[in-house]
Amino acid sequence: MNALPFAVAHALPEIILAVGALLLILIGAFRGRDSDGPMTELAVGLIGLAILAILLSTRTGTAVVFDGAFVDDPFGRFMKILTLLGALISLFMGQDYMARAKIDKFEFPILIILSTLGALMLISATGLIALYLGLELMSLALYVIAAFHRDNVKASEAGLKYFVLGALSSGMLLYGASLLYGFAGTVSFAGIADAVGGKASLGVIFGLVFLMAGLAFKMSTAPFHMWTPDVYEGAPTPVTAFFASAPKMAAIAVTIRVVITAFPGITTQWQQIITFISLLSMAIGSFAAIGQTNIKRLMAYSSIGHMGFALVGLAAGTPTGVQGVLCYMGIYLIMTLGTFAAILSMRVKGESVEQISDLSGLARTNGPMAFFLALMMFSLAGIPPLAGFFAKWYVFNSAIQAGLYPLAVIGVLLSTVAAYYYLRIVKIMYFDDPVVTFDRAAPSLRIVLAACGILVLFLFAYPAAFVEAAAAAAKSLF
């Protein structure tokens, strides 16, 4: 078989996005207008085409192409679909907001596509160099879109903070990668696994710690979470929705791939790091969100907490644990996008509002929106029989099976603390007197909010296909 067509077939979603981004840049340059015109629709179509390329693929096994730098396996395909869905829905929801804020420049959908392309490359990375290239392609576009609203001081501040801290995290990750290369003599994950074996020298542990620090920043897990609340609040809301979805999927995916495939012989060492990050993230996400008044900042702390809950499954270090993480991330994506559809709908006389108090009495002024947002809040809190309960059940169950009882117990207790600020929003919507009446939401936002609400309500009734896909994806790593 000719090597190049074979490699192209395995990297088809990435090639679709890369070629599509170049074509969109040419179209935008020739049109030469401020407004994005049909660019967002074209970008959504491109991302949809990339999803179709994965779904219609008949491949079931694992293939390593491009001189061993890129892997196409069930795990990668599962996480790529989640990442692409996050990007597609963020673009779909954000078009109305960007037009109203007069920042619907043609570059925005192109930057989303480039960031998503980096995320896909990151998910398929089989070595430290491929990992870094994917990470930086994803991050460079994120730095720009965080500050995309140039005339807004908060957005500029968000972009600057993310850039400075992102550069620091990249440096830490590179330092860890260089230590690992020095001790293993190779950059490939399989080669590192062979070189390290079951003995962890001090240099390897240091390299692992610095590598995990860089990845923790991208997952926005504690203690590298400090950028998250400011960036979530300052960036335009569609950008925040994108931050909370697609890059999160890629960061979790590459973290799983690194620890499972590069360090299978020293599970105890990386388990300690993952457990520490998980506990700290759950604690900070649960307690720091209680005093928040801005709903985007609250969602930032919520995402920190949820990444901590997801890592409970990874700490188990088993196929069941990884399956739990994949199920968790799929359900988290649905809940987050639904919540951001509601946040984007919070508009009074054409102006966006972000205070939690603005939701007062929403049940009386907009019953359907209050109902679906309440569903999201109950699901995020992990209340049965909604999808969020099963997400937590999958990861805690895998931790218990692996004998990590303290982690599971602390996770359940912190989940109870986090339930307070989700249920407080429900109380404000249903029991407080109305303060404002929101404008009628764009059709795209109503569609996303209703679809996500239906999914979290009924996913427990037929989860088999989703859970089986996650199980097959998890097993492909071991």
Side-chain angles (χ1 to χ4, degrees), residues 447-461:
I447 291 166
V448 173
L449 182 57
C452 291
I454 291 163
L455 278 172
V456 298
L457 192 57
F458 294 113
L459 194 64
F460 76 93

Side-chain angles (χ1 to χ4, degrees), residues 217-444:
F217 178 89
K218 296 301 171 191
M219 290 187 285
S220 71
T221 48
F224 303 98
H225 65 286
M226 64 290 287
W227 61 273
T228 316
D230 292 334
V231 173
Y232 271 47
E233 183 185 4
T237 310
V239 174
T240 309
F242 180 69
F243 265 95
S245 53
K248 284 269 196 301
M249 302 297 134
I252 281 277
V254 77
T255 304
I256 294 170
R257 194 184 291 283
V258 166
V259 297
I260 298 294
T261 60
F263 304 100
I266 55 167
T267 306
T268 312
Q269 280 76 9
W270 62 255
Q271 260 184 337
Q272 292 172 20
I273 300 170
I274 297 289
T275 302
F276 171 74
I277 291 173
S278 173
L279 284 171
L280 202 57
S281 300
M282 288 189 291
I284 287 173
S286 297
F287 287 104
I290 290 173
Q292 299 303 320
T293 55
N294 182 294
I295 194 160
K296 282 163 73 178
R297 284 186 80 87
L298 182 135
M299 286 306 293
Y301 285 110
S302 167
S303 80
I304 294 164
H306 280 286
M307 290 304 104
F309 289 119
L311 290 176
V312 170
L314 180 55
T318 60
T320 311
V322 174
Q323 179 193 349
V325 180
L326 300 188
C327 291
Y328 196 100
M329 293 312 293
I331 293 167
Y332 167 79
L333 181 72
I334 296 165
M335 298 186 296
T336 301
L337 290 171
T339 305
F340 273 101
I343 294 170
L344 281 160
S345 303
M346 291 170 63
R347 216 172 51 240
V348 180
K349 295 176 183 172
E351 294 293 318
S352 295
V353 292
E354 296 171 3
Q355 296 303 306
I356 294 170
S357 57
D358 293 318
L359 290 166
S360 297
L362 183 64
R364 277 173 262 177
T365 58
N366 190 339
M369 180 178 162
F371 172 73
F372 284 118
L373 182 55
L375 273 183
M376 294 300 138
M377 293 298 113
F378 282 128
S379 188
L380 284 163
I383 291 170
L386 301 176
F389 167 77
F390 292 97
K392 287 193 170 79
W393 185 82
Y394 289 132
V395 291
F396 290 144
N397 185 46
S398 62
I400 289 165
Q401 285 180 15
L404 301 174
Y405 301 112
L407 181 62
V409 170
I410 294 168
V412 171
L413 292 174
L414 289 172
S415 183
T416 312
V417 174
Y420 165 77
Y421 55 81
Y422 296 124
L423 300 183
R424 177 171 159 259
I425 291 176
V426 178
K427 173 256 172 191
I428 286 169
M429 290 192 297
Y430 278 88
F431 298 106
D432 289 10
D433 294 324
V435 176
V436 294
T437 302
F438 294 144
D439 302 348
R440 185 171 173 77
S444 58

Side-chain angles (χ1 to χ4, degrees), residues 101-136:
K102 295 184 172 60
I103 50 171
D104 51 341
K105 308 283 191 277
F106 79 86
E107 296 91 346
F108 180 71
I110 296 169
L111 287 163
I112 293 278
I113 284 180
L114 289 172
S115 185
T116 308
L117 171 61
L120 299 194
M121 289 170 62
L122 190 58
I123 291 167
S124 280
T126 59
L128 298 170
I129 292 175
L131 181 154
Y132 186 70
L133 288 173
L135 190 76
E136 285 307 297

